[in-house]
Structure formats: C-alpha cells, structure tokens
Amino acid sequence: MKKVLVLSAMMLTAVVGMAKDFKTLVVTTVPQMHCESCENKIKGNLRFEKGVKQIECDIPKQMVTITYDGEKTTPEKLIQSFSKFGYKATEIKKQNPEPKKDK
C-alpha cells in the first residue's frame, strides 16, 4: 500500500511539474466570418500551427479565441498565420485591464 501511495505522489508531482502555462489570444478577422464554412476554414488551418491547443470561433461577435502554448509560439506568429489562408487578423485588446496595485 505504501508503494502505491509513494508512486501516486511521485506521478502527481511529475504531472504538476510538466504543466504548461497556456495563453489566450482573441482576434477579429477581415473578411468577417459569416457562416460555418468560414469558421471551419479558420479552425482547419490554425490547428496546424505550432503550439495551438484550442480554437473557438464566435460568429455573432466576430471573435476567434486561440489557446496556445507560449513556449512554442507567439501572438505575432499566430496573427501572421491568418494570411496563409486569406484572412487578416487583428488582436482585440482587453476592455477592462486589471488596475495596477501599488506596493
């Protein structure tokens, strides 16, 4: 029983140590997305970019949310990748940034 607990603790420690810090990029596109075909084109092409983990398209809001591994790619590279399949992407800045805390 002790071996199982020790092994479980070691595995948990290893998994936590390997956990990545994923980042999120939100963009809007030109031309605008207007149908499911546009969404599929974006998702189908972006999924091959290095570091991309998840892609969510919101057609009514005209937003593409990309979750990516910051160690493998950058927002600039992801934005540039849209030109490969006929789109121009522009990053959407956060509307309400957190206020800075004075120390």
Side-chain angles (χ1 to χ4, degrees), residues 9 12 63 71 76 94 103:
L12 182 60
M63 293 183 352
E71 294 177 3
E76 293 79 18
K94 291 183 180 178
K103 290 185 178 183

Side-chain angles (χ1 to χ4, degrees), residues 3-103:
K3 289 181 182 180
V4 172
L5 289 175
V6 170
L7 183 59
S8 297
M10 288 174 48
M11 290 180 67
L12 182 60
T13 303
V15 169
V16 171
M18 293 187 319
K20 303 250 180 187
D21 181 30
F22 294 126
K23 299 181 181 195
T24 302
L25 172 67
V26 181
V27 299
T28 188
T29 63
V30 174
Q32 293 185 335
M33 297 179 291
H34 62 278
C35 63
E36 191 174 319
S37 178
C38 299
E39 178 180 357
N40 291 337
K41 183 176 183 180
I42 290 169
K43 285 181 175 180
N45 284 285
L46 281 180
R47 69 184 177 147
F48 294 110
E49 292 299 318
K50 187 174 182 179
V52 172
K53 299 300 177 194
Q54 184 177 3
I55 306 158
E56 294 178 21
C57 295
D58 188 338
I59 295 172
K61 291 183 181 179
Q62 293 298 309
M63 293 183 352
V64 179
T65 304
I66 306 164
T67 304
Y68 66 97
D69 183 348
E71 294 177 3
K72 294 184 178 181
T73 192
T74 64
E76 293 79 18
K77 287 180 183 176
L78 292 172
I79 288 171
Q80 288 174 354
S81 70
F82 277 81
S83 65
K84 295 177 186 175
F85 50 94
Y87 282 84
K88 180 178 185 264
T90 306
E91 183 176 4
I92 299 175
K93 301 292 181 189
K94 291 183 180 178
Q95 298 297 328
N96 296 321
E98 289 186 29
K100 294 181 180 179
K101 295 180 182 179
D102 294 329
K103 290 185 178 183

